Coordinates of all heavy atoms in Angstrom, one line a residue:
R252 N 1.0 50.1 19.0 CA 1.8 50.4 17.8 C 1.1 49.6 16.6 O 0.7 48.5 16.8 CB 3.2 49.9 17.9 CG 4.0 50.7 18.8 CD 4.3 52.1 18.4 NE 5.2 52.9 19.2 CZ 4.8 53.6 20.3 NH1 3.5 53.6 20.6 NH2 5.7 54.3 21.1
H253 N 0.9 50.3 15.6 CA 0.3 49.6 14.4 C 1.2 48.5 13.9 O 2.5 48.4 14.2 CB 0.2 50.7 13.2 CG -0.7 50.1 12.1 ND1 0.0 49.4 11.0 CD2 -1.9 50.1 11.9 CE1 -1.0 49.1 10.2 NE2 -2.1 49.5 10.7
A254 N 0.6 47.5 13.3 CA 1.2 46.2 13.0 C 2.5 46.4 12.1 O 3.4 45.6 12.0 CB 0.2 45.3 12.3
K255 N 2.5 47.5 11.3 CA 3.6 47.7 10.4 C 4.9 48.0 11.2 O 6.0 47.9 10.7 CB 3.3 48.8 9.5 CG 2.4 48.4 8.3 CD 2.5 49.4 7.1 CE 1.7 48.9 6.0 NZ 1.8 49.7 4.8
A256 N 4.8 48.3 12.5 CA 5.9 48.6 13.3 C 6.4 47.3 14.0 O 7.5 47.3 14.7 CB 5.6 49.7 14.4
S257 N 5.7 46.2 13.9 CA 6.0 44.9 14.5 C 6.8 44.1 13.6 O 6.3 43.8 12.5 CB 4.7 44.2 14.9 OG 5.0 42.8 15.0
P258 N 8.0 43.7 14.0 CA 8.9 42.8 13.0 C 8.1 41.6 12.5 O 8.2 41.2 11.3 CB 10.1 42.5 13.9 CG 10.2 43.5 14.9 CD 8.8 44.0 15.2
T259 N 7.5 40.8 13.5 CA 6.8 39.6 13.1 C 5.6 39.9 12.3 O 5.3 39.3 11.2 CB 6.6 38.7 14.3 OG1 7.7 38.5 15.0 CG2 5.9 37.5 13.9
Y260 N 4.7 40.8 12.8 CA 3.5 41.2 12.2 C 3.6 41.8 10.8 O 2.9 41.4 9.9 CB 2.7 42.1 13.1 CG 1.2 42.0 13.1 CD1 0.5 42.5 14.2 CD2 0.5 41.5 12.1 CE1 -0.9 42.3 14.3 CE2 -0.9 41.4 12.1 CZ -1.6 41.9 13.2 OH -2.9 41.8 13.3
R261 N 4.7 42.6 10.7 CA 4.9 43.2 9.4 C 5.3 42.2 8.3 O 4.8 42.2 7.2 CB 6.0 44.2 9.5 CG 6.3 45.0 8.2 CD 7.3 46.0 8.4 NE 7.7 46.8 7.2 CZ 7.0 47.8 6.7 NH1 5.9 48.2 7.3 NH2 7.4 48.4 5.6
S262 N 6.0 41.2 8.7 CA 6.4 40.1 7.7 C 5.3 39.1 7.5 O 5.2 38.4 6.5 CB 7.6 39.4 8.2 OG 8.7 40.2 8.3
F263 N 4.3 39.1 8.5 CA 3.3 38.1 8.3 C 2.1 38.7 7.5 O 1.6 37.9 6.7 CB 2.7 38.0 9.8 CG 1.4 37.2 9.9 CD1 1.2 35.8 9.6 CD2 0.2 37.8 10.3 CE1 0.1 35.2 9.7 CE2 -1.0 37.1 10.5 CZ -1.0 35.8 10.1
A264 N 1.8 40.0 7.5 CA 0.7 40.5 6.8 C 0.8 41.9 6.3 O 0.0 42.4 5.5 CB -0.6 40.4 7.7
Y265 N 1.9 42.6 6.7 CA 2.0 44.0 6.4 C 3.4 44.3 5.7 O 4.0 45.3 6.0 CB 1.8 44.9 7.6 CG 0.4 44.9 8.1 CD1 0.0 44.0 9.0 CD2 -0.5 45.9 7.6 CE1 -1.3 44.0 9.5 CE2 -1.8 45.9 8.1 CZ -2.2 44.9 9.0 OH -3.5 44.9 9.5
S266 N 3.8 43.4 4.8 CA 5.1 43.5 4.3 C 5.3 44.7 3.3 O 6.3 45.2 3.1 CB 5.5 42.3 3.5 OG 4.6 42.1 2.5
G267 N 4.1 45.2 2.8 CA 4.2 46.3 1.9 C 4.3 46.0 0.4 O 4.1 46.7 -0.5
D268 N 4.6 44.7 0.2 CA 4.7 44.2 -1.2 C 3.7 43.1 -1.5 O 3.8 42.3 -2.5 CB 6.1 43.6 -1.5 CG 6.6 42.5 -0.5 OD1 5.7 42.0 0.3 OD2 7.7 42.2 -0.4
G269 N 2.7 42.9 -0.6 CA 1.7 42.0 -0.8 C 2.0 40.5 -0.5 O 1.2 39.6 -0.8
K270 N 3.2 40.3 0.0 CA 3.6 38.9 0.2 C 3.7 38.5 1.8 O 3.8 39.4 2.6 CB 5.0 38.6 -0.4 CG 5.0 38.8 -1.9 CD 6.4 38.5 -2.4 CE 6.4 38.7 -4.0 NZ 6.1 40.1 -4.4
N271 N 3.5 37.3 2.1 CA 3.6 36.8 3.4 C 4.8 36.0 3.6 O 5.0 35.0 3.0 CB 2.3 36.0 3.8 CG 1.0 36.7 3.3 OD1 0.6 37.5 4.0 ND2 0.6 36.4 2.1
Y272 N 5.7 36.5 4.5 CA 7.1 35.8 4.6 C 7.2 34.8 5.6 O 8.3 34.1 5.7 CB 8.1 37.0 4.7 CG 8.2 37.8 3.5 CD1 7.6 39.0 3.3 CD2 9.2 37.3 2.5 CE1 7.8 39.7 2.2 CE2 9.4 38.1 1.3 CZ 8.7 39.3 1.2 OH 8.9 40.0 0.1
N273 N 6.4 34.6 6.6 CA 6.7 33.8 7.7 C 5.6 32.9 8.2 O 5.5 32.5 9.3 CB 7.2 34.6 8.9 CG 6.2 35.6 9.4 OD1 5.1 35.7 8.8 ND2 6.5 36.4 10.4
I274 N 4.7 32.4 7.3 CA 3.6 31.5 7.6 C 4.0 30.1 7.3 O 4.9 29.8 6.5 CB 2.3 31.9 6.9 CG1 2.5 31.9 5.4 CG2 1.9 33.3 7.4 CD1 1.0 32.2 4.8
R275 N 3.2 29.2 7.8 CA 3.4 27.8 7.6 C 3.4 27.5 6.1 O 2.6 28.0 5.4 CB 2.4 26.9 8.3 CG 2.5 25.5 8.4 CD 1.3 24.8 9.0 NE 1.5 23.4 9.0 CZ 2.0 22.6 9.9 NH1 2.4 23.2 11.0 NH2 2.2 21.3 9.8

Side-chain angles (χ1 to χ4, degrees):
R252 292 291 185 271
H253 190 268
K255 284 199 174 186
S257 157
T259 303
Y260 212 154
R261 185 173 174 86
S262 297
F263 172 66
Y265 290 90
S266 64
D268 56 14
K270 299 181 177 66
N271 310 277
Y272 287 95
N273 59 358
I274 61 176
R275 186 184 178 96

